[in-house]
């Protein structure tokens, strides 16, 4: 390969962040101060991560290392193959979002990493759900920037906001709305989708949620009453059922639609960008929805939504 992939060009440079570490229950444990770069030179891509764990509780012994990460990447817009020595696996780009599955010998965990570059082109929403076999053992997530003048402010904000739980407005009706990109499982852009998550609070722990996706051949509106129990969320019909767990500002969701003949289900992450300590909710929601028809990935829908009341 004589030049990097589109995704590689998108993430060029050094990214700075302070993602939070959570245990399998969603309990905040500490920070991972990270500087990440992915460089293409002479036809070879090398990924580097430098930093260190701050805190970590019982997980500190597993996730603190004595040297920076470094691993090779076979770079393409179809598959990014991670060739070790510190990570082995693959990632698939869908525009400004990559879904990666790989193993980290140093951390001794399997990882599913979702990395989403926001429309500003300079902010990443990052999460790595960590597995032992099929069981979740923890999660890293947070925001990154590659703009040097913004690094200090972002690190300060992530230190303050990293442990904040994902809780959407509980007393005020409104909607998160915006334009999302829809990418097919073939990694080709299908078009733009007008999206809305309308919230109608029922009480402090229950909200009626109506989701609308319109455009690019995707025409779906569904309503589900949601019930919050700590950092767990339950979708209890009538048109979608499922559950979710929150690791800080990120809610990882599994939804199944009741139109059984269509056999649709969704794997999702909703990340509250600007949620901060206090009795309030954030106004920006970065979303990724992987849509499955039966057991087959059909498409990936992602982007940024803004709150209006």
């Amino acid at each position: 390969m004589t030049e990097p992939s589109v995704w590689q060009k998108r993430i060029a440079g050094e990214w700075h962040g302070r993602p939070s570490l959570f245990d399998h229950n969603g309990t905040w444990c500490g920070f991972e101060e990270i500087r990440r770069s992915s460089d293409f030179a002479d036809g070879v891509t090398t990924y580097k991560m430098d930093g260190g764990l701050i805190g970590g509780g019982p997980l500190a012994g597993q996730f603190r290392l004595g040297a920076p990460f470094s691993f090779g990447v076979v770079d393409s817009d179809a598959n990014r193959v991670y060739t070790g020595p510190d990570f082995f696996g693959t990632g698939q780009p869908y525009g400004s979002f990559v879904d990666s599955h790989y193993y980290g010998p140093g951390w001794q965990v399997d990882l599913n990493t979702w990395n989403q570059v926001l429309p500003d082109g300079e902010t990443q929403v990052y999460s790595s759900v960590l597995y032992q076999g099929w069981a979740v053992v923890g999660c890293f997530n947070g925001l990154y920037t590659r703009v040097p003048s913004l690094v200090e402010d972002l690190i300060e904000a992530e230190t303050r906001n990293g442990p904040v739980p994902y809780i959407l407005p509980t007393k005020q009706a409104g909607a998160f709305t915006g334009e999302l990109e829809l990418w097919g499982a073939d990694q080709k852009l299908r078009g733009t989708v007008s999206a809305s998550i309308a919230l109608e609070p029922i009480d402090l722990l229950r909200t009626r949620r109506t989701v609308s996706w319109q455009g690019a051949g995707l025409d779906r509106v569904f309503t589900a009453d949601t019930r919050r129990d700590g950092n767990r969320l339950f979708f209890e019909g009538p048109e979608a059922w499922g559950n979710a767990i929150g690791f800080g500002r990120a809610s990882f969701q599994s939804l199944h639609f009741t139109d059984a003949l269509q056999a649709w289900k969704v794997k999702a992450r909703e990340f509250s960008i600007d949620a901060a300590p206090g009795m309030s909710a954030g106004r920006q929601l970065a979303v990724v929805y992987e849509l499955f028809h039966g057991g087959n990935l059909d498409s990936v829908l992602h982007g940024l939504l803004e709150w209006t009341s």
Side-chain angles (χ1 to χ4, degrees):
M1 180 178 288
T2 58
E3 65 177 42
S5 66
V6 173
W7 172 259
Q8 185 60 42
K9 293 176 182 177
R10 195 187 303 273
I11 62 168
E14 185 173 68
W15 296 79
H16 294 255
R18 184 174 278 178
S20 286
L21 172 63
F22 303 86
D23 71 10
H24 68 285
N25 290 314
T27 303
W28 182 84
C29 297
F31 297 107
E32 181 84 1
E33 184 126 3
I34 288 291
R35 296 171 296 280
R36 282 195 287 118
S37 62
S38 184
D39 301 317
F40 181 91
D42 300 323
V44 177
T45 300
T46 303
Y47 205 105
K48 298 179 181 179
M49 293 169 53
D50 193 8
L53 187 66
I54 302 170
L59 298 177
Q62 182 172 357
F63 295 108
R64 185 180 187 277
L65 296 178
F69 286 116
S70 179
F71 57 98
V73 180
V74 179
D75 175 41
S76 82
D77 283 310
N79 294 290
R80 291 169 61 80
V81 181
Y82 311 127
T83 61
D86 293 329
F87 290 111
F88 296 92
T90 64
Q92 287 71 46
Y94 302 91
S96 58
F97 164 72
V98 162
D99 183 351
S100 301
H101 298 255
Y102 51 98
Y103 185 77
W107 282 345
Q108 302 179 86
V109 289
D110 198 67
L111 300 93
N112 184 190
T113 296
W114 284 17
N115 201 340
Q116 177 185 13
V117 179
L118 295 184
D120 66 6
E122 306 295 352
T123 306
Q124 287 185 25
V125 182
Y126 159 90
S127 67
S128 280
V129 182
L130 316 170
Y131 293 87
Q132 175 72 38
W134 287 20
V136 173
V137 297
C139 178
F140 282 107
N141 67 54
L143 301 178
Y144 283 80
T145 184
R146 63 176 167 188
V147 180
S149 62
L150 300 181
V151 170
E152 185 176 344
D153 287 344
L154 180 131
I155 296 300
E156 181 182 345
E158 287 297 280
T159 303
R160 182 177 66 254
N161 300 338
V164 173
Y166 167 98
I167 298 175
L168 299 186
T170 55
K171 289 188 175 181
Q172 187 177 39
F176 288 94
T177 62
E179 301 295 308
L180 307 181
E181 290 185 351
L182 182 67
W183 291 77
D186 60 1
Q187 298 169 287
K188 295 180 179 179
L189 179 64
R190 292 185 183 174
T192 300
V193 173
S194 295
S196 170
I197 304 174
L199 304 178
E200 182 185 346
I202 300 170
D203 56 37
L204 293 179
L205 298 177
R206 294 184 301 151
T207 298
R208 183 160 295 116
R209 174 188 289 222
T210 299
V211 177
S212 172
W213 300 327
Q214 304 289 332
L218 182 62
D219 182 7
R220 180 173 287 275
V221 179
F222 62 93
T223 297
D225 287 351
T226 61
R227 174 175 57 88
R228 182 170 60 84
D229 180 5
N231 65 321
R232 300 181 300 168
L233 193 64
F234 298 88
F235 300 86
E236 299 179 328
E239 294 167 334
W241 291 80
N243 59 18
I245 185 168
F247 296 104
R249 293 167 291 167
S251 175
F252 295 84
Q253 305 170 1
S254 177
L255 286 173
H256 304 264
F257 297 133
T258 55
D259 49 352
L261 294 178
Q262 297 295 321
W264 284 97
K265 57 188 178 184
V266 177
K267 178 182 178 183
R269 182 191 71 190
E270 295 177 355
F271 190 101
S272 186
I273 296 291
D274 54 345
M279 300 182 75
S280 63
R283 303 186 65 85
Q284 290 187 313
L285 201 63
V287 297
V288 179
Y289 303 103
E290 293 190 340
L291 284 66
F292 292 83
H293 187 223
N296 300 315
L297 178 67
D298 174 84
S299 52
V300 180
L301 182 66
H302 61 79
L304 183 66
L305 304 179
E306 301 272 354
W307 172 256
T308 56
S309 57

PDB file of all heavy atoms in Angstrom, residues 168-201:
ATOM      1  N   LEU A 168     -30.460  10.429  31.449  1.00  0.00           N
ATOM      2  CA  LEU A 168     -31.076  11.428  30.582  1.00  0.00           C
ATOM      3  C   LEU A 168     -32.089  12.252  31.387  1.00  0.00           C
ATOM      4  O   LEU A 168     -32.402  11.910  32.528  1.00  0.00           O
ATOM      5  CB  LEU A 168     -31.733  10.730  29.391  1.00  0.00           C
ATOM      6  CG  LEU A 168     -30.777   9.937  28.497  1.00  0.00           C
ATOM      7  CD1 LEU A 168     -31.502   9.413  27.255  1.00  0.00           C
ATOM      8  CD2 LEU A 168     -29.561  10.754  28.090  1.00  0.00           C
ATOM      9  N   PRO A 169     -32.606  13.364  30.836  1.00  0.00           N
ATOM     10  CA  PRO A 169     -33.523  14.226  31.606  1.00  0.00           C
ATOM     11  C   PRO A 169     -34.680  13.443  32.230  1.00  0.00           C
ATOM     12  O   PRO A 169     -35.304  12.602  31.587  1.00  0.00           O
ATOM     13  CB  PRO A 169     -34.036  15.203  30.534  1.00  0.00           C
ATOM     14  CG  PRO A 169     -32.912  15.296  29.555  1.00  0.00           C
ATOM     15  CD  PRO A 169     -32.328  13.920  29.499  1.00  0.00           C
ATOM     16  N   THR A 170     -34.957  13.725  33.517  1.00  0.00           N
ATOM     17  CA  THR A 170     -35.954  12.960  34.266  1.00  0.00           C
ATOM     18  C   THR A 170     -37.249  13.729  34.524  1.00  0.00           C
ATOM     19  O   THR A 170     -38.237  13.128  34.949  1.00  0.00           O
ATOM     20  CB  THR A 170     -35.368  12.517  35.621  1.00  0.00           C
ATOM     21  OG1 THR A 170     -34.888  13.671  36.323  1.00  0.00           O
ATOM     22  CG2 THR A 170     -34.237  11.534  35.425  1.00  0.00           C
ATOM     23  N   LYS A 171     -37.263  15.033  34.285  1.00  0.00           N
ATOM     24  CA  LYS A 171     -38.476  15.820  34.541  1.00  0.00           C
ATOM     25  C   LYS A 171     -38.928  16.648  33.351  1.00  0.00           C
ATOM     26  O   LYS A 171     -40.060  17.136  33.343  1.00  0.00           O
ATOM     27  CB  LYS A 171     -38.270  16.743  35.746  1.00  0.00           C
ATOM     28  CG  LYS A 171     -38.220  16.017  37.084  1.00  0.00           C
ATOM     29  CD  LYS A 171     -38.219  17.005  38.242  1.00  0.00           C
ATOM     30  CE  LYS A 171     -38.294  16.290  39.584  1.00  0.00           C
ATOM     31  NZ  LYS A 171     -38.330  17.251  40.718  1.00  0.00           N
ATOM     32  N   GLN A 172     -38.082  16.816  32.363  1.00  0.00           N
ATOM     33  CA  GLN A 172     -38.382  17.701  31.247  1.00  0.00           C
ATOM     34  C   GLN A 172     -38.539  16.894  29.965  1.00  0.00           C
ATOM     35  O   GLN A 172     -37.647  16.130  29.583  1.00  0.00           O
ATOM     36  CB  GLN A 172     -37.263  18.729  31.061  1.00  0.00           C
ATOM     37  CG  GLN A 172     -37.564  19.793  30.029  1.00  0.00           C
ATOM     38  CD  GLN A 172     -36.439  20.806  29.947  1.00  0.00           C
ATOM     39  OE1 GLN A 172     -35.271  20.454  30.037  1.00  0.00           O
ATOM     40  NE2 GLN A 172     -36.793  22.079  29.765  1.00  0.00           N
ATOM     41  N   ALA A 173     -39.674  17.049  29.299  1.00  0.00           N
ATOM     42  CA  ALA A 173     -39.879  16.393  28.009  1.00  0.00           C
ATOM     43  C   ALA A 173     -39.071  17.119  26.939  1.00  0.00           C
ATOM     44  O   ALA A 173     -38.849  18.330  27.006  1.00  0.00           O
ATOM     45  CB  ALA A 173     -41.354  16.382  27.645  1.00  0.00           C
ATOM     46  N   GLY A 174     -38.641  16.380  25.946  1.00  0.00           N
ATOM     47  CA  GLY A 174     -37.874  16.955  24.850  1.00  0.00           C
ATOM     48  C   GLY A 174     -37.349  15.857  23.964  1.00  0.00           C
ATOM     49  O   GLY A 174     -37.817  14.719  24.010  1.00  0.00           O
ATOM     50  N   ALA A 175     -36.349  16.202  23.141  1.00  0.00           N
ATOM     51  CA  ALA A 175     -35.827  15.214  22.202  1.00  0.00           C
ATOM     52  C   ALA A 175     -34.375  15.515  21.869  1.00  0.00           C
ATOM     53  O   ALA A 175     -33.962  16.683  21.805  1.00  0.00           O
ATOM     54  CB  ALA A 175     -36.657  15.187  20.934  1.00  0.00           C
ATOM     55  N   PHE A 176     -33.608  14.460  21.680  1.00  0.00           N
ATOM     56  CA  PHE A 176     -32.286  14.554  21.075  1.00  0.00           C
ATOM     57  C   PHE A 176     -32.480  14.348  19.575  1.00  0.00           C
ATOM     58  O   PHE A 176     -33.023  13.320  19.145  1.00  0.00           O
ATOM     59  CB  PHE A 176     -31.343  13.489  21.634  1.00  0.00           C
ATOM     60  CG  PHE A 176     -30.895  13.737  23.044  1.00  0.00           C
ATOM     61  CD1 PHE A 176     -31.567  13.162  24.110  1.00  0.00           C
ATOM     62  CD2 PHE A 176     -29.799  14.546  23.310  1.00  0.00           C
ATOM     63  CE1 PHE A 176     -31.156  13.390  25.421  1.00  0.00           C
ATOM     64  CE2 PHE A 176     -29.377  14.777  24.615  1.00  0.00           C
ATOM     65  CZ  PHE A 176     -30.068  14.199  25.673  1.00  0.00           C
ATOM     66  N   THR A 177     -32.043  15.305  18.765  1.00  0.00           N
ATOM     67  CA  THR A 177     -32.277  15.231  17.331  1.00  0.00           C
ATOM     68  C   THR A 177     -30.997  15.545  16.565  1.00  0.00           C
ATOM     69  O   THR A 177     -30.094  16.222  17.073  1.00  0.00           O
ATOM     70  CB  THR A 177     -33.375  16.206  16.883  1.00  0.00           C
ATOM     71  OG1 THR A 177     -32.954  17.549  17.169  1.00  0.00           O
ATOM     72  CG2 THR A 177     -34.686  15.919  17.597  1.00  0.00           C
ATOM     73  N   GLY A 178     -30.948  15.071  15.326  1.00  0.00           N
ATOM     74  CA  GLY A 178     -29.802  15.371  14.487  1.00  0.00           C
ATOM     75  C   GLY A 178     -29.785  14.516  13.236  1.00  0.00           C
ATOM     76  O   GLY A 178     -30.678  13.693  13.007  1.00  0.00           O
ATOM     77  N   GLU A 179     -28.756  14.728  12.411  1.00  0.00           N
ATOM     78  CA  GLU A 179     -28.568  13.976  11.177  1.00  0.00           C
ATOM     79  C   GLU A 179     -27.455  12.949  11.397  1.00  0.00           C
ATOM     80  O   GLU A 179     -26.344  13.302  11.798  1.00  0.00           O
ATOM     81  CB  GLU A 179     -28.195  14.915  10.030  1.00  0.00           C
ATOM     82  CG  GLU A 179     -29.238  15.992   9.746  1.00  0.00           C
ATOM     83  CD  GLU A 179     -30.553  15.400   9.257  1.00  0.00           C
ATOM     84  OE1 GLU A 179     -30.515  14.609   8.295  1.00  0.00           O
ATOM     85  OE2 GLU A 179     -31.602  15.727   9.851  1.00  0.00           O
ATOM     86  N   LEU A 180     -27.773  11.680  11.115  1.00  0.00           N
ATOM     87  CA  LEU A 180     -26.827  10.588  11.288  1.00  0.00           C
ATOM     88  C   LEU A 180     -26.451  10.005   9.927  1.00  0.00           C
ATOM     89  O   LEU A 180     -27.202  10.128   8.955  1.00  0.00           O
ATOM     90  CB  LEU A 180     -27.426   9.490  12.168  1.00  0.00           C
ATOM     91  CG  LEU A 180     -27.997   9.921  13.527  1.00  0.00           C
ATOM     92  CD1 LEU A 180     -28.526   8.707  14.267  1.00  0.00           C
ATOM     93  CD2 LEU A 180     -26.953  10.666  14.351  1.00  0.00           C
ATOM     94  N   GLU A 181     -25.287   9.360   9.868  1.00  0.00           N
ATOM     95  CA  GLU A 181     -24.886   8.648   8.661  1.00  0.00           C
ATOM     96  C   GLU A 181     -25.263   7.179   8.782  1.00  0.00           C
ATOM     97  O   GLU A 181     -25.082   6.569   9.841  1.00  0.00           O
ATOM     98  CB  GLU A 181     -23.377   8.772   8.433  1.00  0.00           C
ATOM     99  CG  GLU A 181     -22.922  10.162   8.035  1.00  0.00           C
ATOM    100  CD  GLU A 181     -21.442  10.198   7.692  1.00  0.00           C
ATOM    101  OE1 GLU A 181     -20.743   9.183   7.928  1.00  0.00           O
ATOM    102  OE2 GLU A 181     -20.979  11.242   7.185  1.00  0.00           O
ATOM    103  N   LEU A 182     -25.752   6.608   7.677  1.00  0.00           N
ATOM    104  CA  LEU A 182     -26.087   5.189   7.626  1.00  0.00           C
ATOM    105  C   LEU A 182     -25.125   4.502   6.668  1.00  0.00           C
ATOM    106  O   LEU A 182     -25.063   4.844   5.478  1.00  0.00           O
ATOM    107  CB  LEU A 182     -27.527   4.994   7.157  1.00  0.00           C
ATOM    108  CG  LEU A 182     -28.007   3.539   7.106  1.00  0.00           C
ATOM    109  CD1 LEU A 182     -28.105   2.947   8.514  1.00  0.00           C
ATOM    110  CD2 LEU A 182     -29.361   3.443   6.393  1.00  0.00           C
ATOM    111  N   TRP A 183     -24.391   3.518   7.198  1.00  0.00           N
ATOM    112  CA  TRP A 183     -23.421   2.756   6.424  1.00  0.00           C
ATOM    113  C   TRP A 183     -23.886   1.303   6.350  1.00  0.00           C
ATOM    114  O   TRP A 183     -24.290   0.721   7.357  1.00  0.00           O
ATOM    115  CB  TRP A 183     -22.035   2.831   7.065  1.00  0.00           C
ATOM    116  CG  TRP A 183     -21.435   4.202   6.965  1.00  0.00           C
ATOM    117  CD1 TRP A 183     -21.747   5.303   7.710  1.00  0.00           C
ATOM    118  CD2 TRP A 183     -20.430   4.620   6.044  1.00  0.00           C
ATOM    119  NE1 TRP A 183     -21.005   6.383   7.312  1.00  0.00           N
ATOM    120  CE2 TRP A 183     -20.180   5.990   6.285  1.00  0.00           C
ATOM    121  CE3 TRP A 183     -19.715   3.969   5.038  1.00  0.00           C
ATOM    122  CZ2 TRP A 183     -19.249   6.723   5.558  1.00  0.00           C
ATOM    123  CZ3 TRP A 183     -18.783   4.690   4.307  1.00  0.00           C
ATOM    124  CH2 TRP A 183     -18.557   6.054   4.563  1.00  0.00           C
ATOM    125  N   GLY A 184     -23.823   0.714   5.171  1.00  0.00           N
ATOM    126  CA  GLY A 184     -24.185  -0.681   5.017  1.00  0.00           C
ATOM    127  C   GLY A 184     -23.129  -1.600   5.586  1.00  0.00           C
ATOM    128  O   GLY A 184     -21.984  -1.196   5.846  1.00  0.00           O
ATOM    129  N   ALA A 185     -23.510  -2.860   5.770  1.00  0.00           N
ATOM    130  CA  ALA A 185     -22.538  -3.858   6.234  1.00  0.00           C
ATOM    131  C   ALA A 185     -21.386  -3.995   5.246  1.00  0.00           C
ATOM    132  O   ALA A 185     -20.298  -4.461   5.612  1.00  0.00           O
ATOM    133  CB  ALA A 185     -23.235  -5.200   6.442  1.00  0.00           C
ATOM    134  N   ASP A 186     -21.603  -3.587   3.980  1.00  0.00           N
ATOM    135  CA  ASP A 186     -20.541  -3.598   2.976  1.00  0.00           C
ATOM    136  C   ASP A 186     -19.610  -2.407   3.112  1.00  0.00           C
ATOM    137  O   ASP A 186     -18.726  -2.212   2.271  1.00  0.00           O
ATOM    138  CB  ASP A 186     -21.144  -3.654   1.572  1.00  0.00           C
ATOM    139  CG  ASP A 186     -22.064  -2.453   1.274  1.00  0.00           C
ATOM    140  OD1 ASP A 186     -22.221  -1.572   2.154  1.00  0.00           O
ATOM    141  OD2 ASP A 186     -22.648  -2.419   0.181  1.00  0.00           O
ATOM    142  N   GLN A 187     -19.805  -1.578   4.157  1.00  0.00           N
ATOM    143  CA  GLN A 187     -18.975  -0.417   4.481  1.00  0.00           C
ATOM    144  C   GLN A 187     -19.106   0.703   3.442  1.00  0.00           C
ATOM    145  O   GLN A 187     -18.214   1.539   3.308  1.00  0.00           O
ATOM    146  CB  GLN A 187     -17.515  -0.831   4.661  1.00  0.00           C
ATOM    147  CG  GLN A 187     -17.323  -1.803   5.820  1.00  0.00           C
ATOM    148  CD  GLN A 187     -15.943  -2.430   5.852  1.00  0.00           C
ATOM    149  OE1 GLN A 187     -15.622  -3.283   5.030  1.00  0.00           O
ATOM    150  NE2 GLN A 187     -15.130  -2.000   6.798  1.00  0.00           N
ATOM    151  N   LYS A 188     -20.253   0.734   2.757  1.00  0.00           N
ATOM    152  CA  LYS A 188     -20.542   1.805   1.813  1.00  0.00           C
ATOM    153  C   LYS A 188     -21.631   2.703   2.382  1.00  0.00           C
ATOM    154  O   LYS A 188     -22.588   2.220   2.988  1.00  0.00           O
ATOM    155  CB  LYS A 188     -20.981   1.221   0.466  1.00  0.00           C
ATOM    156  CG  LYS A 188     -19.888   0.436  -0.236  1.00  0.00           C
ATOM    157  CD  LYS A 188     -20.366  -0.131  -1.557  1.00  0.00           C
ATOM    158  CE  LYS A 188     -19.257  -0.905  -2.257  1.00  0.00           C
ATOM    159  NZ  LYS A 188     -19.711  -1.500  -3.548  1.00  0.00           N
ATOM    160  N   LEU A 189     -21.487   4.010   2.173  1.00  0.00           N
ATOM    161  CA  LEU A 189     -22.441   4.972   2.700  1.00  0.00           C
ATOM    162  C   LEU A 189     -23.772   4.844   1.966  1.00  0.00           C
ATOM    163  O   LEU A 189     -23.834   4.942   0.739  1.00  0.00           O
ATOM    164  CB  LEU A 189     -21.884   6.388   2.546  1.00  0.00           C
ATOM    165  CG  LEU A 189     -22.777   7.532   3.041  1.00  0.00           C
ATOM    166  CD1 LEU A 189     -22.983   7.444   4.542  1.00  0.00           C
ATOM    167  CD2 LEU A 189     -22.160   8.884   2.657  1.00  0.00           C
ATOM    168  N   ARG A 190     -24.865   4.663   2.746  1.00  0.00           N
ATOM    169  CA  ARG A 190     -26.198   4.616   2.165  1.00  0.00           C
ATOM    170  C   ARG A 190     -26.845   5.996   2.118  1.00  0.00           C
ATOM    171  O   ARG A 190     -27.704   6.247   1.278  1.00  0.00           O
ATOM    172  CB  ARG A 190     -27.088   3.661   2.964  1.00  0.00           C
ATOM    173  CG  ARG A 190     -26.689   2.196   2.844  1.00  0.00           C
ATOM    174  CD  ARG A 190     -27.682   1.287   3.566  1.00  0.00           C
ATOM    175  NE  ARG A 190     -27.272  -0.111   3.505  1.00  0.00           N
ATOM    176  CZ  ARG A 190     -27.889  -1.096   4.150  1.00  0.00           C
ATOM    177  NH1 ARG A 190     -28.971  -0.822   4.903  1.00  0.00           N
ATOM    178  NH2 ARG A 190     -27.456  -2.324   4.055  1.00  0.00           N
ATOM    179  N   GLY A 191     -26.455   6.876   3.059  1.00  0.00           N
ATOM    180  CA  GLY A 191     -27.033   8.208   3.052  1.00  0.00           C
ATOM    181  C   GLY A 191     -27.206   8.766   4.444  1.00  0.00           C
ATOM    182  O   GLY A 191     -26.658   8.247   5.421  1.00  0.00           O
ATOM    183  N   THR A 192     -27.988   9.837   4.526  1.00  0.00           N
ATOM    184  CA  THR A 192     -28.212  10.555   5.773  1.00  0.00           C
ATOM    185  C   THR A 192     -29.586  10.231   6.332  1.00  0.00           C
ATOM    186  O   THR A 192     -30.563  10.144   5.588  1.00  0.00           O
ATOM    187  CB  THR A 192     -28.095  12.073   5.542  1.00  0.00           C
ATOM    188  OG1 THR A 192     -26.779  12.367   5.045  1.00  0.00           O
ATOM    189  CG2 THR A 192     -28.314  12.837   6.841  1.00  0.00           C
ATOM    190  N   VAL A 193     -29.653  10.069   7.645  1.00  0.00           N
ATOM    191  CA  VAL A 193     -30.890   9.720   8.339  1.00  0.00           C
ATOM    192  C   VAL A 193     -31.219  10.823   9.343  1.00  0.00           C
ATOM    193  O   VAL A 193     -30.361  11.214  10.147  1.00  0.00           O
ATOM    194  CB  VAL A 193     -30.751   8.371   9.076  1.00  0.00           C
ATOM    195  CG1 VAL A 193     -31.977   8.082   9.929  1.00  0.00           C
ATOM    196  CG2 VAL A 193     -30.521   7.249   8.069  1.00  0.00           C
ATOM    197  N   SER A 194     -32.446  11.331   9.301  1.00  0.00           N
ATOM    198  CA  SER A 194     -32.925  12.258  10.324  1.00  0.00           C
ATOM    199  C   SER A 194     -33.359  11.436  11.537  1.00  0.00           C
ATOM    200  O   SER A 194     -34.237  10.576  11.416  1.00  0.00           O
ATOM    201  CB  SER A 194     -34.098  13.090   9.797  1.00  0.00           C
ATOM    202  OG  SER A 194     -33.682  13.929   8.749  1.00  0.00           O
ATOM    203  N   ALA A 195     -32.734  11.711  12.679  1.00  0.00           N
ATOM    204  CA  ALA A 195     -32.957  10.888  13.864  1.00  0.00           C
ATOM    205  C   ALA A 195     -33.493  11.717  15.015  1.00  0.00           C
ATOM    206  O   ALA A 195     -33.164  12.905  15.159  1.00  0.00           O
ATOM    207  CB  ALA A 195     -31.659  10.199  14.294  1.00  0.00           C
ATOM    208  N   SER A 196     -34.329  11.080  15.831  1.00  0.00           N
ATOM    209  CA  SER A 196     -34.878  11.726  17.018  1.00  0.00           C
ATOM    210  C   SER A 196     -35.060  10.689  18.110  1.00  0.00           C
ATOM    211  O   SER A 196     -35.528   9.579  17.850  1.00  0.00           O
ATOM    212  CB  SER A 196     -36.225  12.376  16.685  1.00  0.00           C
ATOM    213  OG  SER A 196     -36.883  12.814  17.865  1.00  0.00           O
ATOM    214  N   ILE A 197     -34.658  11.069  19.331  1.00  0.00           N
ATOM    215  CA  ILE A 197     -34.983  10.289  20.533  1.00  0.00           C
ATOM    216  C   ILE A 197     -35.839  11.201  21.398  1.00  0.00           C
ATOM    217  O   ILE A 197     -35.331  12.080  22.105  1.00  0.00           O
ATOM    218  CB  ILE A 197     -33.726   9.854  21.307  1.00  0.00           C
ATOM    219  CG1 ILE A 197     -32.776   9.065  20.406  1.00  0.00           C
ATOM    220  CG2 ILE A 197     -34.113   9.027  22.526  1.00  0.00           C
ATOM    221  CD1 ILE A 197     -31.439   8.743  21.083  1.00  0.00           C
ATOM    222  N   ALA A 198     -37.154  11.026  21.316  1.00  0.00           N
ATOM    223  CA  ALA A 198     -38.079  11.863  22.088  1.00  0.00           C
ATOM    224  C   ALA A 198     -38.316  11.229  23.450  1.00  0.00           C
ATOM    225  O   ALA A 198     -38.584  10.022  23.552  1.00  0.00           O
ATOM    226  CB  ALA A 198     -39.394  12.013  21.340  1.00  0.00           C
ATOM    227  N   LEU A 199     -38.207  12.051  24.507  1.00  0.00           N
ATOM    228  CA  LEU A 199     -38.340  11.570  25.880  1.00  0.00           C
ATOM    229  C   LEU A 199     -39.547  12.217  26.543  1.00  0.00           C
ATOM    230  O   LEU A 199     -39.687  13.443  26.533  1.00  0.00           O
ATOM    231  CB  LEU A 199     -37.074  11.889  26.684  1.00  0.00           C
ATOM    232  CG  LEU A 199     -35.757  11.377  26.118  1.00  0.00           C
ATOM    233  CD1 LEU A 199     -34.602  11.826  27.013  1.00  0.00           C
ATOM    234  CD2 LEU A 199     -35.772   9.870  25.971  1.00  0.00           C
ATOM    235  N   GLU A 200     -40.385  11.383  27.130  1.00  0.00           N
ATOM    236  CA  GLU A 200     -41.540  11.854  27.894  1.00  0.00           C
ATOM    237  C   GLU A 200     -41.470  11.228  29.291  1.00  0.00           C
ATOM    238  O   GLU A 200     -41.861  10.072  29.486  1.00  0.00           O
ATOM    239  CB  GLU A 200     -42.841  11.435  27.206  1.00  0.00           C
ATOM    240  CG  GLU A 200     -44.094  11.920  27.919  1.00  0.00           C
ATOM    241  CD  GLU A 200     -45.353  11.378  27.261  1.00  0.00           C
ATOM    242  OE1 GLU A 200     -45.285  10.866  26.131  1.00  0.00           O
ATOM    243  OE2 GLU A 200     -46.424  11.474  27.912  1.00  0.00           O
ATOM    244  N   PRO A 201     -40.940  11.972  30.278  1.00  0.00           N
ATOM    245  CA  PRO A 201     -40.791  11.401  31.616  1.00  0.00           C
ATOM    246  C   PRO A 201     -42.127  10.958  32.204  1.00  0.00           C
ATOM    247  O   PRO A 201     -43.140  11.661  32.102  1.00  0.00           O
ATOM    248  CB  PRO A 201     -40.174  12.541  32.423  1.00  0.00           C
ATOM    249  CG  PRO A 201     -39.497  13.404  31.408  1.00  0.00           C
ATOM    250  CD  PRO A 201     -40.379  13.329  30.191  1.00  0.00           C
TER     251      PRO A 201
END
